[in-house]
Each structure stands twice: as structure tokens, then as C-alpha cells.
Amino acid sequence: MKNVEDLYPLSPMQSGLLFHSLYDPDSGYYVEQLGCLFDGRLDVAAFESAWRQLLGRHAILRTAFVWEGLDMPLQVVRRETGLPLEVSDWRALDASAREERLEAFLEADRARGFELSEAPLMRLFLFRLEEDSYRFVWTSHHLLLDGWSMALLLGELFGRYEALVRGAEAAVEPVKPYRDYIAWLQRQDSSKAEAYWRRTLAGFTAPTPLGIGRVSLGSTRQEAQYDRRQVALPADLTAGLQTFARLNRLTLGTVMQGAWALLLSRYSAEEDVVFGVTVSGRPAELAGVETMVGLFINTLPVRVHVAPGSSLLDWLRGLQEQQAELRRYEFSPLVEVQGWSEIERGQPLFESIFGFENYPLDQTLRELSGGVRVEDVRLAEKTNFPINLAIIPGHSLTLDIMYDSRRFASESVARLTGHFQTLLQAMLERPAQKLSELPMLTGRERREILGHWNETRADYPSHLCLHELFEAQARRTPEAPALVFEDERLSYIELNRRANRLAHRLRSLGVGPEVLVGIVLERSAEMVVGLLAVLKAGGAYVPLDPTYPRERLAAMLEDARPAVLLSQRQLRDALPAHAAQVVWVDADREEIEREPDHDPVNLSTPDSLAYVIYTSGSTGQPKGVLIPHRAVVNHNFAIAPAYELRPADRALQFASLSFDVAVEEIFPTWLAGACVVVRPAGALDSHRAFFDLLERERITVVNLSTPYWNELMAELARTGSSIAPSLRLAAVGGEKGLPEGFAFAQQHAGAGVRLLNVYGPTETTVTNTLYDATACGVSPEADSVPIGRPIANTEIYLLDRHLQPVPVGVGGEVYIGGDSIARGYLNRPGQTAEKFLPNPFGGERGARLYKTGDLARFHADGNMEFLGRADHQVKVRGFRIELGEIEALLSQHAGVREAVVLVREDTPGNKRVVAYVVAEDEAALSPGGLRAFIAEKLPDYMVPSAIVMLDELPLTANGKLDRRALPAPEQFTNGTTAS
Ligand code: AMP
Ligand code: MG
């Protein structure tokens, strides 16, 4: 054959590249551009000759590829090729024009690509910038060379140039051809490599999420657009890292890779992370491999277990060993490795690549004869991973990040570089530290997130109790309306007197501080009078909803053991057996009316208990949250101004007393001297009835669960009607708010209604953060409406599993501190200790944090975004449910072998509780019977809307419950559904 020196197969890496290049010829992925500046008078003729010598010596530079009509592509080494060197004169251009021209050139050159069957797959350009200055660009196809090889070639080029200019002989060491590497590859046992990769990646099924992306994984398949950020690490940090590595016999690459693994683990909240690494791919056992020129470099997955309890040094050593093992299989092509993994087809193995680039590029920086200095040597490569981190060695290490700007905001990447540096610094300073304890936030971030955003101190009368505030208001505005229920209207003084009489009565029965009084009353003015009276007597009220099943009430009574119950005669039969004294607000009316009507002497302190509210408990029993006066007084003083409550306001008391929202509807309203309008039971009969109530009572403020509010808005839209013109504020919350829902609500409620997204668990007194969606707007692209920032005397911490604060953009669990935190759970010291922790961030002595189980992340402006739950607590129609409680109850049934309960949203917006049950004896258990069993014990909202009987629970390959394999009730044809 003419002009063919050699012919041999491709390396697996080359095959992969060739395949991709042919498949997507315009991508420009594999066009490499190396550039540098020659400062001085370059001898262009000598430069050209030096290149000719290089082409003569290195077969790979004369290589092209053939595949058509072949079973397997081959590389062809030509005996001879031309030298594609172009020289242009840019001296007439000024500096900025040259910049522009160069940019445009580089882009066009990349786009031009290569005809892969024609050698040489490279081009050379010299642009004369000034008399004594040239910009050099060397474009080549990645099929030939990697960065390391380019650096070697450049070094050799300069040696030859030197010799030519000086008329000396260049040293001619024999070259080891790329063919030798191909031969070595053919001797490798690929089954061993396969076994290694299968073992290494076993059990890893989803790519490690980066956590900080703007778009969720795999959503839009738009073309990537890359941005770059380079940060030079401070020289002392660089020096420190070098010493650290040397002293501990680690490579610098291991140390850097360790920092990246840590960062990724923190960002993704996963202990088992996988990321890509670029490896040199030069097998150590191949003699002289470090001087070989060709394509060796590879990208492969590294799987790191970031065990939180490991000490840093031990862990880094382990990492180093792991890398040594990986080196033996560096030749495996990524596509094959991917195929051996358990990651689903079509999903990437990893989203980030980390490279420690020790190409000898800086060795090519030198001074050539004639005073020509080689400067600014740079290799531009394109990547196809969302984020690509490279550490460039040097006097100062440089962190070089290329990222897809559609996936990551530049601020997120800027923060990332800060975290990386903080981790490195911490590694140096505390090598014996546990991994979980290494700090990642910069000092500035810590001050902002932990300090500045939590600067919520505000004065409030922390020496007063709730009823004292009411009494003070009653003195200020005795005649103002305080309470409305149907036709009954009470002024402040009337309400105060009625509550006083009942309070005196309660006192006479022994009610005082820390004494619990159950309230079992239907919706009425008396219900509100009752709770005020309990507080005035010094006790704490425990709402016991008379519509709950007897057994539920019995469990609550059994747990709380209230000394006294406030009830009505007609509810007598609803009451389970109990040991409390009962005050019948109806039957005992005359007696109560004989009591004095002055304020009882206050016996309570701000630390005294004000109420106990039961919430669903994962262990199968509801748990009582203990709220002291101070918590509510603080809450009221924060909420009244936030809601801009005024004496003219008329706030709807909508919620059942069993939910703490009722506290927010009542007390801040009174604090403002405004009126509480108690919803009559009938207002729930229809949306129309609800809207009529708003109009009739000229309601100005409502506090509703997000799903109910959305239903109301949908009804407005459906009927084309408008909401009561009096309404000015809707505080909605309890569940994640969607941007489209809020926008829709704003549109239908009108601009005059201010919409707030409010957030807070019962354990920290109703509301802790809020977001003014009307004033601050809601981004339609966001996943949810922010839940905002903390209210007065409230602190928010977003922490990882090891109580380390997470940075902006990274998800963490919400911990709440401040003055509105509960005392704990009634009779449950274990659960109290688990959920109420000492505040590790200081605060006052004895300060505590409540661990909410909610996941959220901060936006850069300090607003929080709700992300979901860390456990099996759910919200359905605004009701808080521990699925574990329903499961525990089902398991108590003798006929049930196994039960799983979950929330399904098979049609968007329609969440349902569904139970899956495996019976001991199928014939003996009917869904209907099981449902009745449950309904006797749980409030309606906790009773599953469907019970599906299964022969067995579906399991995944690793024996865990396969939730996705559980059938939707309707689709289930083979079994029985009760609903
Ligand atoms: P509860 O104790 O019944 O008030 O329920 C508190 C829980 O409801 C929180 O821990 C959250 O999981 C959820 N929640 C409350 N408000 C919101 C909100 N605005 N957005 C998202 N979830 C919320
Ligand atoms: Mg709440």
C-alpha cells in the first residue's frame, strides 16, 4: 500500500471517541486546542522545521482512522503527511481587536472539526501580534493525543527548535510508539477488569446528585452551555497541602480528591458517593510509558464511602489504596464500566468529574534562544459532564471549574469554590478530626447563615402570661367586640367577665399551674370562653375533639389524665370513662354565673403550661406537645405586627381547637384589640357557605391550610364569583405551596388580598417562618413557594445529619430555636430528648433546638425553600399524620400479618392515605372489617381511604419494600379495596 507505514487496532478509549465523533460529528467535543504565547523574536523557519521533525518521529501524529467496510476500525499510520502550519499577521490590530479575533478564531476552528480519515489530524497556527510576539495555537483531535502527550511534544518541540537555532544536534532518544501500548492492551485480562468494576460498583443504583442544581436531574435535555471559573488557592494553603501530603505519605492528588468526595457527600447528603476522575491511563508496568505519546487518559468512576465517624487521615490513606487498585484497571473504557454497573441504562454514572492534572505543562514554560519566552500555555478541552473540576498544579494550585451554566448558577459555583477551600484548610488544621466534623462553610457564610439571618431579637413582655395580655386589652377597650359566634356577640368586657366566672369555678375545683383541663366542647362561644377561663385559672387546656372516636379520646385522656373536663351535657355519651371532675358549661350555668366576675389573681408564670396539643405519633400513640405561656406570648407579639392586625380586624376562627392554628387565630387577634369570629359548624357544608360567612361577618383575616385555600380558589374560578371584599389577608400553610397555586389564588382573590405562606410545627408554636408571596412575588419556575424567614425571637438552622450547618442551596434538616419552642412531649422523655436538643450554636444558657424532620434549603436572600420530609410523616388535606401510627394500629389487629401505609397522589392534587395489608388468614379478614377497626381508633382524617389486601409485600432485589411496585387501588383488580 502506498503511504502506509503501519496499521493496527484502536485502543478501547479511541474506539469510544471514534464512535461518539461519528455519531455526533458537530459536537466538537474532542477537538483539543493548546495555545501559548511566544514573547520575543521567534524564528518561524526553525519552528516549522522542528515540527517537521516531530511529525517524522511520532507515528501517532501521522495517524488517521478507517472504518468503512471494516468489522473493526483501524488506525493507519501514514509514511508522510504535510505540515499544516498557517502564519497570519495581526500586527495592524489593537489589543482588544486581537482578543476578539482570537476568540472567534478558536470557536470557528473547533467547529471546523476534522476529517478523521485524513492525516494529520492536527493544525498549527501562528498569529503575529507584534514585532516580537506570536500567539501559537495547536489544534488536534483527541483520538491522537491527551494533554500529557501534548505537553511532552511541546517540550520536545522546544528542544529541537533550540538545536536548530543554535545549529546543534538535537538529542535523539528513540521513541516508544503508541503501537506498544495497543499491544500491551491486548495482553490485558478484561474479565478481571470486569470483575473489579462489578464488585466496586455493586449496589450503586443512582448517580450522586450535586444538590445545588437549578433544575432537577434529568429534566430538560437542552444543550449544555459551559462557563468556567478559576480560583488560585493561596500560596500558603498550597504549601501547607504539599507538606501535609508529604508528611502523611499521601499524594497531593489523594488529598484533593478526598476534599472533593467530602464536598460531594455534604452536598448530596449521601455517604456513598460516586464521581468521575480523569486518570493518566499510563500503565506503570509498561517501561517508558511516561514518555509515550498518544491517547491514554481516561475518565472513570470512583466510589467513595464517606464514613462520618472515620478520622480524616485513616480515610485518606484508604482512599489512596483504593486509587492504587483502580490504577490497574485504568484502561477500561467508561462505556463498558457503565454497562457493568447497576445504574439504569441511559442514566449517567456520575455528574461530576474531578481531575488532578499533573501534565508537565508548566515544564514547557521556559526561555528559548534569542530571548523568546514561552508564556501562558493553556489547553482548552470540552467536557460533556455537568461539572468538571480540575486542580492545576503549580506554585499556587488552581481550581479550574467548567460547568453547565444551565444547570448551575454562577453564584452556586462561586460558593462551591469557597467550600472546597474551607474543607482543605480544615483538613490541614485538624488531620485527626472525624470526617463529619470538618467544617465546610466559610467564615462569612457562617456569620451570615447562623448569625445574621437569625438576628431576630425583638422585645416582648416575656414576664406576662397570655390571659394577662387579654385582661390588659379588656381594660383598654372594654366595649370593643371580642368574640362572635352565630348570633352571640361578646365585647371584651363581657367575654372577660364570663371567662372570669368560669375560671373561679375551675379554681374552686383545684385548677392552678400545671393542672390540665380537657376541653370537650362543640363549636360555640363557650368553647372560646372555656379556653380563656382555663388559662385564667392557671391551668393548661387540652383540646379533646368530641367528633373523635371514643377510643381515640380514651387514649388521650389516659395519657393526659386531666383533673377537670369542660364539657356539655349532650356530649356525655361521647366521653369515654375517665377520672376527671366535669364542669358542664350548660347544665352548670347557673352555678357558674354565681361566681365572681373579677380577674382571678394570677398564679401562673410565663413558664407555666398554657396548652397541650396532641399530634400523631409514629409509635402508634398520639403525643401531647407541651406549650408554655412564654412561647405563645412571643408568638403573638411576632404575628400581630406581621399580619398587621388592627382593632378593626375580624379574624376567622376556623380550625378545630385540636390544631394549634386556632391559637394563632385567637390570641394575636385579641392582642391587637380585634374581634374573633368563630366559624359555625355549618360553614363547612359547602364552599358557598364558607364564602357567605366571610361576607356576612366581614372577615378580614383567614388562616387556612394550603389545600383548603386552593379548593376555595378553584371554586371562585369555577363559579366566576369573587371573594368577600373585606378580606385583606390570607395566611396559608401546613403543606408545600406551589407557585401556580399561589399565582392562581392571587389572581382570583384579587390584589387586595395579601397572601402569606406560613410554616411551623406544633412543637414550636404554630408559625415560625413566613413568606409574603404578594409583596415578594413567586417565581413561576420555582418548585415551591418559599417558606420565608424566621419571625421574632426565632432561629432557623439547616443542618446535616451530623449537625453541621449546610450552605445556601444545599438541603438540610430544619431545626428551630428561640422563645417559642415547646417544653417537650407529655410523658415521653425519650421522644423529647430525641427531638429537643441542646442548641450547639450557643444562644442563651439552656437554649434548645427542635428537630423538625423537615428538609429545606436556603436561597441566597435567606428565604427558605421547603423540600420535603426526612421521615414518614405526611400532610394530607392539611392534617399531620405519622404513617407509622396507622401501621402500628393495623398490626395490632390479630388478622394482620404485615401492613404498610403510604400517601399516594395518583391524580395530582389528590393525596390519599392507602394501606396495604397482608393477612394472616385471607379468608378471615375483610377490608371492611379492618376499616371499622381503624375507624374506631383514629380520627377520620387518619383512616385510610383505601385498604388493599396483598398476598405479599413486593420487595426489591435487596429485600427492601419496593414502594413503587405497590399498586394504585384502582389498578388493583385481583384484590379487594374498601373505600
Ligand atoms: P403541624 O404540627 O400540624 O403544624 O405540622 C407541621 C408540619 O407541616 C411541618 O413540620 C411541615 O412538614 C408541614 N408544613 C407546615 N407549614 C408548611 C408550609 N408552609 N410549607 C410546607 N410544609 C409545611
Ligand atoms: Mg402548624
PDB file of all heavy atoms in Angstrom, residues 663-675:
ATOM      1  N   VAL A 663     -54.828  28.731  67.949  1.00  0.00           N
ATOM      2  CA  VAL A 663     -54.130  29.651  68.851  1.00  0.00           C
ATOM      3  C   VAL A 663     -53.759  30.926  68.103  1.00  0.00           C
ATOM      4  O   VAL A 663     -53.890  32.039  68.614  1.00  0.00           O
ATOM      5  CB  VAL A 663     -52.856  28.966  69.417  1.00  0.00           C
ATOM      6  CG1 VAL A 663     -51.975  29.952  70.146  1.00  0.00           C
ATOM      7  CG2 VAL A 663     -53.244  27.803  70.320  1.00  0.00           C
ATOM      8  N   GLU A 664     -53.325  30.745  66.852  1.00  0.00           N
ATOM      9  CA  GLU A 664     -52.911  31.893  66.044  1.00  0.00           C
ATOM     10  C   GLU A 664     -54.112  32.709  65.575  1.00  0.00           C
ATOM     11  O   GLU A 664     -54.007  33.911  65.339  1.00  0.00           O
ATOM     12  CB  GLU A 664     -52.115  31.396  64.832  1.00  0.00           C
ATOM     13  CG  GLU A 664     -51.500  32.506  64.018  1.00  0.00           C
ATOM     14  CD  GLU A 664     -50.410  31.969  63.103  1.00  0.00           C
ATOM     15  OE1 GLU A 664     -49.380  31.508  63.635  1.00  0.00           O
ATOM     16  OE2 GLU A 664     -50.591  31.981  61.876  1.00  0.00           O
ATOM     17  N   GLU A 665     -55.252  32.057  65.475  1.00  0.00           N
ATOM     18  CA  GLU A 665     -56.450  32.777  65.053  1.00  0.00           C
ATOM     19  C   GLU A 665     -57.016  33.620  66.195  1.00  0.00           C
ATOM     20  O   GLU A 665     -57.633  34.657  65.971  1.00  0.00           O
ATOM     21  CB  GLU A 665     -57.515  31.779  64.582  1.00  0.00           C
ATOM     22  CG  GLU A 665     -57.111  31.048  63.306  1.00  0.00           C
ATOM     23  CD  GLU A 665     -58.034  29.877  62.996  1.00  0.00           C
ATOM     24  OE1 GLU A 665     -58.548  29.221  63.936  1.00  0.00           O
ATOM     25  OE2 GLU A 665     -58.246  29.600  61.814  1.00  0.00           O
ATOM     26  N   ILE A 666     -56.809  33.166  67.408  1.00  0.00           N
ATOM     27  CA  ILE A 666     -57.466  33.810  68.548  1.00  0.00           C
ATOM     28  C   ILE A 666     -56.587  34.862  69.244  1.00  0.00           C
ATOM     29  O   ILE A 666     -56.933  36.042  69.305  1.00  0.00           O
ATOM     30  CB  ILE A 666     -57.900  32.733  69.578  1.00  0.00           C
ATOM     31  CG1 ILE A 666     -58.956  31.796  68.938  1.00  0.00           C
ATOM     32  CG2 ILE A 666     -58.455  33.392  70.848  1.00  0.00           C
ATOM     33  CD1 ILE A 666     -59.297  30.578  69.781  1.00  0.00           C
ATOM     34  N   PHE A 667     -55.448  34.431  69.760  1.00  0.00           N
ATOM     35  CA  PHE A 667     -54.716  35.315  70.673  1.00  0.00           C
ATOM     36  C   PHE A 667     -54.067  36.550  70.046  1.00  0.00           C
ATOM     37  O   PHE A 667     -54.160  37.634  70.609  1.00  0.00           O
ATOM     38  CB  PHE A 667     -53.718  34.504  71.521  1.00  0.00           C
ATOM     39  CG  PHE A 667     -54.405  33.532  72.440  1.00  0.00           C
ATOM     40  CD1 PHE A 667     -54.462  32.181  72.157  1.00  0.00           C
ATOM     41  CD2 PHE A 667     -55.033  33.990  73.599  1.00  0.00           C
ATOM     42  CE1 PHE A 667     -55.114  31.294  72.996  1.00  0.00           C
ATOM     43  CE2 PHE A 667     -55.690  33.104  74.456  1.00  0.00           C
ATOM     44  CZ  PHE A 667     -55.733  31.753  74.148  1.00  0.00           C
ATOM     45  N   PRO A 668     -53.415  36.424  68.893  1.00  0.00           N
ATOM     46  CA  PRO A 668     -52.862  37.659  68.303  1.00  0.00           C
ATOM     47  C   PRO A 668     -53.975  38.654  67.943  1.00  0.00           C
ATOM     48  O   PRO A 668     -53.780  39.868  68.016  1.00  0.00           O
ATOM     49  CB  PRO A 668     -52.149  37.174  67.035  1.00  0.00           C
ATOM     50  CG  PRO A 668     -51.903  35.731  67.258  1.00  0.00           C
ATOM     51  CD  PRO A 668     -53.061  35.246  68.092  1.00  0.00           C
ATOM     52  N   THR A 669     -55.156  38.125  67.608  1.00  0.00           N
ATOM     53  CA  THR A 669     -56.287  38.993  67.279  1.00  0.00           C
ATOM     54  C   THR A 669     -56.672  39.826  68.495  1.00  0.00           C
ATOM     55  O   THR A 669     -56.882  41.042  68.410  1.00  0.00           O
ATOM     56  CB  THR A 669     -57.474  38.120  66.821  1.00  0.00           C
ATOM     57  OG1 THR A 669     -57.018  37.251  65.786  1.00  0.00           O
ATOM     58  CG2 THR A 669     -58.627  38.968  66.315  1.00  0.00           C
ATOM     59  N   TRP A 670     -56.729  39.182  69.618  1.00  0.00           N
ATOM     60  CA  TRP A 670     -57.061  39.899  70.855  1.00  0.00           C
ATOM     61  C   TRP A 670     -55.952  40.877  71.244  1.00  0.00           C
ATOM     62  O   TRP A 670     -56.207  41.950  71.774  1.00  0.00           O
ATOM     63  CB  TRP A 670     -57.287  38.905  72.007  1.00  0.00           C
ATOM     64  CG  TRP A 670     -58.613  38.187  71.896  1.00  0.00           C
ATOM     65  CD1 TRP A 670     -59.698  38.591  71.183  1.00  0.00           C
ATOM     66  CD2 TRP A 670     -58.970  36.966  72.537  1.00  0.00           C
ATOM     67  NE1 TRP A 670     -60.730  37.684  71.336  1.00  0.00           N
ATOM     68  CE2 TRP A 670     -60.311  36.670  72.165  1.00  0.00           C
ATOM     69  CE3 TRP A 670     -58.311  36.073  73.393  1.00  0.00           C
ATOM     70  CZ2 TRP A 670     -60.988  35.549  72.620  1.00  0.00           C
ATOM     71  CZ3 TRP A 670     -58.991  34.954  73.844  1.00  0.00           C
ATOM     72  CH2 TRP A 670     -60.315  34.689  73.457  1.00  0.00           C
ATOM     73  N   LEU A 671     -54.715  40.455  70.971  1.00  0.00           N
ATOM     74  CA  LEU A 671     -53.594  41.335  71.296  1.00  0.00           C
ATOM     75  C   LEU A 671     -53.740  42.657  70.548  1.00  0.00           C
ATOM     76  O   LEU A 671     -53.368  43.723  71.053  1.00  0.00           O
ATOM     77  CB  LEU A 671     -52.277  40.653  70.901  1.00  0.00           C
ATOM     78  CG  LEU A 671     -51.002  41.369  71.288  1.00  0.00           C
ATOM     79  CD1 LEU A 671     -50.865  41.435  72.802  1.00  0.00           C
ATOM     80  CD2 LEU A 671     -49.794  40.656  70.687  1.00  0.00           C
ATOM     81  N   ALA A 672     -54.320  42.589  69.338  1.00  0.00           N
ATOM     82  CA  ALA A 672     -54.499  43.793  68.536  1.00  0.00           C
ATOM     83  C   ALA A 672     -55.811  44.496  68.875  1.00  0.00           C
ATOM     84  O   ALA A 672     -56.147  45.505  68.261  1.00  0.00           O
ATOM     85  CB  ALA A 672     -54.460  43.423  67.056  1.00  0.00           C
ATOM     86  N   GLY A 673     -56.585  43.953  69.825  1.00  0.00           N
ATOM     87  CA  GLY A 673     -57.871  44.555  70.173  1.00  0.00           C
ATOM     88  C   GLY A 673     -58.934  44.300  69.120  1.00  0.00           C
ATOM     89  O   GLY A 673     -59.940  45.014  69.040  1.00  0.00           O
ATOM     90  N   ALA A 674     -58.727  43.280  68.303  1.00  0.00           N
ATOM     91  CA  ALA A 674     -59.667  42.983  67.219  1.00  0.00           C
ATOM     92  C   ALA A 674     -60.627  41.863  67.636  1.00  0.00           C
ATOM     93  O   ALA A 674     -60.598  41.405  68.777  1.00  0.00           O
ATOM     94  CB  ALA A 674     -58.889  42.601  65.970  1.00  0.00           C
ATOM     95  N   CYS A 675     -61.450  41.447  66.686  1.00  0.00           N
ATOM     96  CA  CYS A 675     -62.541  40.532  67.001  1.00  0.00           C
ATOM     97  C   CYS A 675     -62.330  39.141  66.394  1.00  0.00           C
ATOM     98  O   CYS A 675     -61.958  39.018  65.224  1.00  0.00           O
ATOM     99  CB  CYS A 675     -63.840  41.139  66.469  1.00  0.00           C
ATOM    100  SG  CYS A 675     -65.286  40.131  66.800  1.00  0.00           S
TER     101      CYS A 675
END
